Structure formats: structure tokens, C-alpha cells
Amino acid sequence: MLRALWTAATGMTAQQENIDVISNNIANVNTTGYKKMRASFQDLIYQTVEQPGVPTSDTSQNPTGKQIGLGTRVAGTYGIFTQGNLIKTDRQLDIAIEGDGFFKIVLPDGTEAYTRDGNFKLDKDGRIVTGTGYPLSPQITIPPNAVQISISPDGKVVAIMDDNTTTELGRITLVKFINPAGLKRIGNNLYVKTDASGDPIEANPGTQGLGILRQGFLEASNVDIVEEMINLITAQRAYEFNAKAIRAGDEMLGTVANLRS
């Protein structure tokens, strides 16, 4: 009977973690470039009471055996990198990626991070930076006398100056990964590579399977709020059923404890 209590408890713990993941998705429904996450589950070890195939006579054997599972656990979480909707903003430094790929960002310690958030700004030196001030790489600096910036789908950045001349400032490149779900999320809409993600593959937009750039657009979160609400209800019901299993086990133990000789 105690086995059932502990088994159901693992189900409650797993659903608590599942709700944590779903809640984070819902919280980020309006986060630019956010990619929703999912929890994956695995069953725990099994207690083998009777081994399958054990002989039951000289001419027969047990066809199935008897194994009793000991519950479940969250094996991991993974990101789903489907395309989010593109939202028109008409802002010069809003850039959406249509297709696969990430912008490359340089962190204060010199390491590289990656993002789908194209809501860029200018810092005091005219560099294109993220909302937290981290510069885009390759670094692109906008001259103070530029009156308009044009970014082509293949990443070429051209400035129109106040004397109506044009100057090419550089090119925005993109990177992709063999396994983007293996990237580590560090907050601020940033990812860093891991051994699971593999090394970044950098190229111009529109080449090597990378997406293209859309100036004046932002990519919305790919969270479907209706889907998340359904997942939330499902997780809540699973949690309740596991709680009822614990209650049933407790009532059965109470019945045994109240037996009179």
C-alpha cells in the first residue's frame, strides 16, 4: 500500500514541474522572439515480482511476468522553435527573422550569445545593441549624420546620409545550430551554446538554410495561449488524480489500521 502512496507522489511532483513550464510559457506570451517549452516525462524503475518467461511447467512459461512501476519523473524540458507571427512596427531597427536562425550577440565578458529578439536600439556610440545594451555581432555602427537605415533581406545594412549619399555599413549575419533545443537559456531573450546544441553555423541570411531578415517587423512569441490553457487544465487534472490515489491509499491503510480481531 505504501508503494502506491510514493508512486502517486512522483506523479504530483512531475505535474508540479509541468505546470511550472506551462506557466512560464503563458507569462512570456508577449515576449518578442520567445520560443515555448515543453516538459518530457519518463517512467521510473520497475519492481520485477515475476520475471517474464519463467517456466510454469515442463512445457509452458509465464508469457508476461509481473512488473510494478514506481512512478514518473520529468526527464527534461525542450524548446519548440516554430516560427512566431511577424508584427509590423515600421521601426527602422526592428528586425524579424523569417525562417531559421539567430542573431549573434556579444556579452560583456566577450562570450557569444544568440537571440531571436530583433528589437534593437542604438547606444551612445551608434552601435546596434539589444535592449540590455549588448552589441550585435558583426558590430555595425550607425554614423551620427545618417537619416535613414535600410536593411535588406540578405542582411546588408545601408545608411542614407543627410547629404543624400548612401554608405554601406556592413552585413548582419545569422547563425543556426544542428540541435537548437540543446541551447541553454540565460534570460534576456538570450541563448548560449552547449555540447548538446553543437557549434554555431554562421552565414548570410537566405543561405545555408537560414531565414531572411524583415526590417520594420518583430517576431512574436510562438506561444498559443489556447493550447497552453488546455495543457494547464490537463496537468491540473492529472495532479488531482494523483492526489486522489494518495487519498485512496490512505483510506485503505486506515481501514487496515482500524481492523479488530
Side-chain angles (χ1 to χ4, degrees):
M1 193 63 62
L2 289 176
R3 181 195 297 141
L5 298 179
W6 288 107
T7 299
T10 67
M12 294 180 70
T13 300
Q15 292 305 325
Q16 284 180 331
E17 295 182 26
N18 188 26
I19 289 176
D20 288 341
V21 174
I22 296 170
S23 298
N24 185 61
N25 287 339
I26 295 174
N28 284 283
V29 67
N30 289 323
T31 300
T32 304
Y34 176 79
K35 300 303 178 185
K36 61 187 176 184
M37 300 185 71
R38 286 285 177 267
S40 59
F41 298 87
Q42 286 182 348
D43 49 356
L44 295 178
I45 62 175
Y46 287 79
Q47 180 179 353
T48 302
V49 180
E50 294 181 11
Q51 190 73 25
V54 171
T56 56
S57 70
D58 292 340
T59 59
S60 63
Q61 61 183 16
N62 190 327
T64 61
K66 184 192 296 182
Q67 292 182 292
I68 300 177
L70 300 180
T72 186
R73 71 183 184 96
V74 175
T77 58
Y78 59 95
I80 300 175
F81 288 84
T82 54
Q83 178 80 52
N85 294 330
L86 300 187
I87 300 173
K88 185 175 177 60
T89 66
D90 289 328
R91 183 173 170 272
Q92 289 189 129
L93 292 181
D94 283 346
I95 311 169
I97 302 173
E98 185 179 0
D100 293 335
F102 298 84
F103 299 108
K104 185 167 66 173
I105 305 299
V106 179
L107 299 179
D109 62 1
T111 59
E112 294 178 354
Y114 309 93
T115 185
R116 293 278 299 191
D117 181 3
N119 185 16
F120 293 113
K121 312 284 194 304
L122 292 182
D123 67 5
K124 63 182 180 63
D125 299 316
R127 299 181 304 171
I128 297 179
V129 298
T130 66
T132 48
Y134 302 149
L136 182 67
S137 178
Q139 181 176 305
I140 295 177
T141 302
I142 307 300
N145 58 334
V147 296
Q148 186 177 341
I149 304 300
S150 174
I151 301 173
S152 65
D154 62 358
K156 186 183 298 183
V157 181
V158 175
I160 301 176
M161 315 305 287
D162 54 10
D163 60 358
N164 289 327
T165 61
T166 60
T167 302
E168 185 173 335
L169 304 178
R171 185 186 293 271
I172 298 173
T173 60
L174 297 178
V175 300
K176 66 176 182 178
F177 296 87
I178 296 296
N179 177 30
L183 292 169
K184 179 181 178 181
R185 303 181 186 222
I186 60 173
N188 293 323
N189 291 350
L190 298 175
Y191 304 81
V192 293
K193 77 178 185 69
T194 66
D195 290 339
S197 67
D199 291 328
I201 303 169
E202 186 171 0
N204 293 332
T207 64
Q208 298 189 34
L210 290 166
I212 59 176
L213 304 185
R214 296 298 188 188
Q215 184 183 18
F217 289 83
L218 287 176
E219 181 187 13
S221 165
N222 68 347
V223 172
D224 183 336
I225 195 65
V226 175
E227 178 186 1
E228 297 304 322
M229 291 303 298
I230 293 172
N231 291 335
L232 186 62
I233 293 170
T234 302
Q236 181 182 8
R237 290 290 179 259
Y239 186 91
E240 292 174 354
F241 291 144
N242 279 285
K244 288 183 178 179
I246 291 177
R247 190 178 302 116
D250 178 61
E251 291 174 355
M252 294 173 73
L253 283 176
T255 301
V256 173
N258 292 326
L259 288 176
R260 296 291 188 270
S261 58

